[in-house]
Amino acid sequence: EADLAAGRQELVSMIVSETDRITALLSRIEGLASDAPLQLAEVNIHEILDHCVKLTRASFGRHLSIIQQFDPSLPLIRADKGLLTQAFINIFKNASEATGKNDKLIIKTSYSITGWRTRNTARNSSFQPLQIDIIDTGSGIPEELQQSVFVPMVTGRAEGTGLGLSIAQSVVSGHGGLLECE
C-alpha cells in the first residue's frame, strides 16, 4: 500500500510538472516562429532524457521496452530544458506510434567529434559535440515520406498533425544541432 501511494505521488508530481512545462511551452512555441532567444541554462542531457522516458512509460509508450545506453562522461550543456524536453517527447511519441507490443525504444548518448567539425556553421555557438541516437524497432517510415518527415503538416497517419517532428527539428536547429532520420 505504501508503494502504491508513493507511485501515485510520483505520478501526480509528474502531471503537475508537465502541466507547468506545457503551459510555458505554448508560449515558447510561439517564440520559435519569431526567433525569440532560447532560455539557456546549464542542463544535464541525461536528466532531460530520463524525464522524457518516465513520461513515455507512464503514458503513450507503455507497450515499449525502453533501453537507455548513456555515456556517463558527457558534460553539462547550455540548452533550453523545456524545449528539448518537448523535442524528445515528440520523437518518442512518434516512435511509439510506429511500434507495437514488445518493440523497443533505444536511446543512446555519446560524443560526436565529427559532428562538431561538420556543423561549425550552426547558428548557436554554444553547440556541444553530443550525439543522441533514438532507435525504435517499429515499422519504419514509408520511403516516400522519409525526405519530408520534418516538413510541417506532413504525416503518414490519418490522425496525425505532422507537427511533432517539425517542432523537434526547429528546437534542435535552434540549439545549433542537426536532427536526421534514417
Side-chain angles (χ1 to χ4, degrees):
E1 201 170 292
D3 287 341
L4 182 60
R8 284 187 179 167
Q9 181 59 36
E10 182 180 2
L11 188 57
V12 168
S13 176
M14 222 184 320
I15 290 169
V16 169
S17 80
E18 277 304 290
T19 302
D20 291 343
R21 186 188 63 76
I22 289 169
T23 301
L25 175 71
L26 291 173
S27 298
R28 294 291 299 139
I29 287 176
E30 289 175 352
L32 284 176
S34 66
D35 281 337
L38 297 174
Q39 296 175 358
L40 298 176
E42 295 285 315
V43 297
N44 180 324
I45 194 66
H46 297 138
E47 288 177 6
I48 294 171
L49 290 167
D50 280 336
H51 177 74
C52 295
V53 165
K54 285 180 185 174
L55 291 171
T56 301
R57 284 185 172 136
S59 58
F60 55 83
R62 289 187 294 267
H63 66 284
L64 289 169
S65 170
I66 302 176
I67 301 162
Q68 295 168 264
Q69 299 174 348
F70 293 167
D71 179 345
S73 70
L74 294 182
L76 296 177
I77 61 169
R78 291 193 49 76
D80 188 311
K81 184 177 182 178
L83 289 177
L84 279 186
T85 298
Q86 188 61 48
F88 290 124
I89 287 172
N90 290 359
I91 295 168
F92 292 0
K93 188 168 190 308
N94 191 276
S96 172
E97 290 166 350
T99 55
K101 188 175 171 106
N102 299 322
D103 272 322
K104 294 177 183 164
L105 177 64
I106 303 160
I107 305 149
K108 299 178 182 180
T109 62
S110 60
Y111 278 105
S112 176
I113 299 306
T114 57
W116 175 255
R117 291 189 187 121
T118 60
R119 296 184 201 126
N120 61 2
T121 58
R123 292 181 347 185
N124 186 338
S125 63
S126 67
F127 176 73
Q128 307 258 340
L130 295 188
Q131 180 164 329
I132 301 164
D133 295 303
I134 301 168
I135 305 159
D136 70 67
T137 59
S139 58
I141 298 169
E143 193 169 326
E144 65 272 10
L145 292 180
Q146 288 182 13
Q147 298 300 313
S148 57
V149 294
F150 301 117
V151 176
M153 312 307 275
V154 171
T155 182
R157 297 179 302 108
E159 68 279 1
T161 63
L163 293 175
L165 291 180
S166 175
I167 290 170
Q169 172 79 329
S170 178
V171 168
V172 171
S173 176
H175 281 82
L178 178 65
L179 185 59
E180 298 175 305
C181 172
E182 290 182 21

